Amino acid sequence: MMYKYTGRIFKIPFPFTDLSGTKSRPALALCEPDEYGDIEFVFITTKKAGRFRNTLDLPDGLLPFPSKIHADKIFLLHKDIIQKELAEIEPNLLDKLLRILTLKDTERYYKNIHFPSQNRIFVKEKDAIHYAGRVFDEKEMLNLVDSSLDFWLTEGRYADSFTSGLGKFLNINYVMLVNSGSSANLLALSALTSPLLKDRRIVPGDEVITVAAGFPTTVNPIIQNQAVPVFIDVDLGTYVPATEAVAKAVTSKTKAVMIAHTMGIPFDAAELRKLCDEHGLWLIEDCCDALGSRINSNYLGTFGDLATFSFYPAHQITMGEGGAVVTNDQQIARIVMSFRDWGRDCYCSGGKNNSCGRRFSQQFGTLPFGYDHKYVYSHIGYNLKVTDMQAAIGCAQLEKLDKFISARQKNWAVLRQALKPYEDHLILPETPASSDPCYFGFVITVREDAGFTRNELTAFLEKNKIETRNLFCGNLIRHPAYENTKYRVVGDLKNTDIIMNNTFFIGVYPGLKPEQIDYIVEIFDQFFTQK
């Protein structure tokens, strides 16, 4: 080891005030002496761990007796107290010890800084009630710091753990992590343009059925790949389209359907799957709002040829920024990874080589025979990968997902029951038959004859510290970005325009306390009392 003290075991007098040398203990130095000559030590003992929870076994033979390093307490002692050197530990053991100590400090930071703010008593009219927010504890921070200590940075052990865990949760074969839900949508649609799909590939001018009442990055990939979005209307209350509306939009030019389960409410993915199979269409489920929602006990994301998820802080789980594309089709999975990883043909994971066993023995295009497969590009791709630090946060969040789902459903149900008396004025959200949603928010549409406007109601809520949000774009084709875009509309978009003018949502996320939900209801009661 390159240091004189760090990682070495020394004989130290104990207690420290007794320098006669009659009693001593082995202690491990954690650092070099500071400017005052002081060194941080942890002690080593033959005793059982007892009340100490952070211990490491020393390798047999390093000291004359079986020993443990106790990492629960650090002692700052002057180097002159050292009697003699006894042994030196291996770097991997020092790594484990320093991780324990670093993570212990991280946990202490969480408990002293974040925990008190997360558990403050809610003060009416003073504390804001957000529509969404990250919900976490020390586990997310411990994972994040642990990953940063690896300094692997790109996809690594935490990414492997997350993709495995999400795949098991959804019961799906392939999970590809990306840097956002929007990137996931871009990759899902782009994958269907691959020449490897032959006659089924989407080419410029092909049509993709979607909705205008949603988020732009569900539609943008269609336009970015020079296909034509075909817009259909949605139903009020669920804010997703009926299968019949999709069926009416199908023509000989249709190649795919790409629709979001808006706000966690499922469209009838089982019936739409049948329709797509009948017409030979691809189905992409945008599940960015809907992780944990189900139809007939099957999770959303398992009905489409591909599905996408977002792990932005407002969604069901977060890794800060992040997303995923999922599929059960190996060929599609490899195409997605190609588009994600610069368009390269090689599907080796980071740090791996020659997974195909033919790295230098293939012919590609007009490249020389045997050109290194790691640098062969078969698609016009991007770099949309995630970091292992993001995945580390996601792993801790995934462990909480079942609780998060239950909390969202409970909050939604309380609001649904409490606001029921106002249904003459408000269209309250509905749960489709055979579905079990994990709600992103609580969506409300002010009726045309309500006697007040959406803006009047949302202004009253915001004045009382209750955050509101419009239902995303309202009507996407009325935004400046789409004025000169080629698209087609089937039927009218009457409900979409109503959503644009009259619809908003409030939060149901797991960070909301019961007293905050009660306060939301109280403010609605006040509004209607005044009306």
Side-chain angles (χ1 to χ4, degrees):
M1 195 171 286
M2 63 183 293
Y3 296 112
K4 184 177 179 181
Y5 294 90
T6 306
R8 298 177 188 273
I9 300 171
F10 298 96
K11 184 178 180 182
I12 301 290
F14 188 86
F16 315 128
T17 53
D18 180 6
L19 302 181
S20 65
T22 57
K23 294 182 180 179
S24 62
R25 278 189 184 176
L28 176 67
L30 300 175
C31 62
E32 296 301 289
D34 63 16
E35 59 186 304
Y36 304 107
D38 292 329
I39 302 173
E40 292 183 346
F41 287 96
V42 289
F43 271 85
I44 298 169
T45 178
T46 57
K47 294 182 179 179
K48 293 183 179 179
R51 63 184 177 87
F52 298 100
R53 65 189 180 109
N54 294 316
T55 63
L56 285 174
D57 289 334
L58 274 181
D60 291 341
L62 199 60
L63 292 178
F65 37 79
S67 305
K68 290 181 179 290
I69 304 170
H70 291 270
D72 280 282
K73 192 170 183 180
I74 296 174
F75 297 88
L76 187 65
L77 305 173
H78 198 273
K79 63 184 179 65
D80 289 346
I81 201 174
I82 293 174
Q83 295 174 335
K84 69 174 182 177
E85 182 177 337
L86 300 176
E88 181 180 358
I89 66 171
E90 291 293 326
N92 65 334
L93 185 58
L94 181 62
D95 171 62
K96 290 179 182 179
L97 175 60
L98 293 177
R99 278 178 190 264
I100 288 174
L101 296 170
T102 303
L103 295 178
K104 191 174 77 168
D105 284 343
T106 302
E107 185 173 5
R108 179 168 56 190
Y109 182 91
Y110 168 80
K111 289 182 176 178
N112 286 285
I113 302 299
H114 290 292
F115 182 80
S117 65
Q118 290 173 336
N119 290 275
R120 284 193 307 111
I121 295 173
F122 171 66
V123 180
K124 292 182 180 181
E125 301 176 359
K126 181 181 178 182
D127 294 338
I129 298 179
H130 300 294
Y131 82 96
R134 65 219 197 295
V135 179
F136 66 98
D137 57 25
E138 72 277 10
K139 291 182 180 178
E140 282 79 359
M141 296 187 69
L142 291 170
N143 279 10
L144 176 60
V145 172
D146 186 48
S147 175
S148 71
L149 293 175
D150 289 347
F151 213 70
W152 181 255
L153 303 183
T154 55
E155 283 194 357
R157 61 188 176 100
Y158 277 108
D160 290 343
S161 179
F162 183 86
T163 54
S164 175
L166 183 60
K168 289 177 181 176
F169 178 83
L170 296 172
N171 191 28
I172 204 154
N173 291 333
Y174 301 100
V175 177
M176 286 70 68
L177 277 177
V178 296
N179 59 2
S180 73
S182 296
S183 293
N185 283 339
L186 176 60
L187 290 173
L189 197 286
S190 298
L192 299 183
T193 68
S194 172
L196 296 175
L197 300 177
K198 300 179 181 178
D199 292 343
R200 292 201 66 195
R201 69 181 292 210
I202 295 173
V203 298
D206 284 342
E207 293 184 344
V208 180
I209 299 169
T210 189
V211 302
F215 203 74
T217 52
T218 308
V219 175
N220 291 352
I222 302 170
I223 300 167
Q224 289 159 338
N225 281 283
Q226 301 179 61
V228 179
V230 176
F231 295 109
I232 58 176
D233 210 1
V234 299
D235 295 334
L236 298 177
T238 62
Y239 308 96
V240 294
T243 305
E244 294 78 10
V246 179
K248 290 178 182 178
V250 176
T251 70
S252 59
K253 293 183 178 181
T254 308
K255 278 289 184 70
V257 178
M258 185 173 183
I259 299 175
H261 298 284
T262 302
M263 303 301 288
I265 304 293
F267 60 78
D268 194 339
E271 286 301 310
L272 193 50
R273 173 76 271 170
K274 293 178 184 177
L275 177 70
C276 288
D277 288 343
E278 289 172 7
H279 294 276
L281 307 178
W282 299 107
L283 174 59
I284 300 175
E285 294 178 76
D286 180 342
C287 302
C288 289
D289 294 351
L291 177 60
S293 294
R294 295 185 292 184
I295 297 175
N296 294 326
S297 300
N298 295 311
Y299 284 109
L300 300 186
T302 61
F303 296 90
D305 297 285
L306 303 98
T308 60
F309 294 92
S310 172
F311 308 126
Y312 188 70
H315 289 109
Q316 279 83 353
I317 63 172
T318 185
M319 53 177 66
E321 299 283 358
V325 184
V326 304
T327 183
N328 278 319
D329 187 299
Q330 184 184 64
Q331 183 185 40
I332 290 176
R334 287 185 176 175
I335 294 171
V336 169
M337 286 189 286
S338 174
F339 273 99
R340 182 194 66 178
D341 300 354
W342 310 285
R344 70 179 184 178
D345 199 74
C346 173
Y347 52 84
C348 290
S349 56
K352 303 289 185 180
N353 292 303
N354 205 25
S355 297
C356 63
R358 297 182 296 160
R359 180 178 173 185
F360 300 106
S361 60
Q362 300 181 76
Q363 179 69 56
F364 295 98
T366 57
L367 288 168
F369 177 80
Y371 197 83
D372 189 350
H373 191 212
K374 290 183 76 70
Y375 292 96
V376 173
Y377 299 91
S378 52
H379 299 98
I380 307 299
Y382 309 90
N383 178 3
L384 302 175
K385 297 189 295 299
V386 75
T387 71
D388 213 44
M389 291 177 289
Q390 292 167 273
I393 299 170
C395 287
Q397 289 273 291
L398 199 56
E399 292 177 359
K400 297 178 173 68
L401 181 53
D402 287 335
K403 291 182 180 179
F404 287 169
I405 293 169
S406 296
R408 286 178 177 272
Q409 291 174 333
K410 180 180 178 181
N411 291 339
W412 188 94
V414 171
L415 289 172
R416 185 66 176 79
Q417 183 62 33
L419 299 182
K420 190 173 178 60
Y422 307 124
E423 284 189 299
D424 288 346
H425 303 279
L426 307 175
I427 299 174
L428 298 181
E430 300 292 340
T431 299
S434 302
S435 72
D436 182 25
C438 177
Y439 306 97
F440 179 82
F442 190 87
V443 188
I444 297 170
T445 297
V446 176
R447 295 185 184 274
E448 296 282 359
D449 59 353
F452 56 88
T453 66
R454 173 186 66 190
N455 288 355
E456 288 178 291
L457 177 51
T458 56
F460 188 82
L461 294 170
E462 295 277 356
K463 179 183 175 182
N464 287 280
K465 302 286 190 178
I466 299 169
E467 278 189 346
T468 66
R469 291 291 186 270
N470 286 356
L471 187 53
F472 306 137
C473 293
N475 186 341
L476 189 69
I477 63 175
R478 295 188 181 275
H479 288 258
Y482 303 89
E483 288 177 354
N484 298 312
T485 298
K486 183 179 180 181
Y487 59 81
R488 189 164 68 87
V489 175
V490 175
D492 59 37
L493 299 180
K494 178 182 176 182
N495 289 341
T496 300
D497 279 336
I498 290 173
I499 291 167
M500 177 180 65
N501 291 309
N502 295 2
T503 302
F504 70 99
F505 69 91
I506 55 178
V508 297
Y509 78 104
L512 293 177
K513 302 178 177 72
E515 55 267 32
Q516 292 175 303
I517 298 291
D518 292 342
Y519 177 70
I520 292 172
V521 175
E522 179 183 325
I523 296 303
F524 269 94
D525 290 342
Q526 287 182 21
F527 179 84
F528 281 99
T529 298
Q530 293 177 13
K531 292 296 177 182

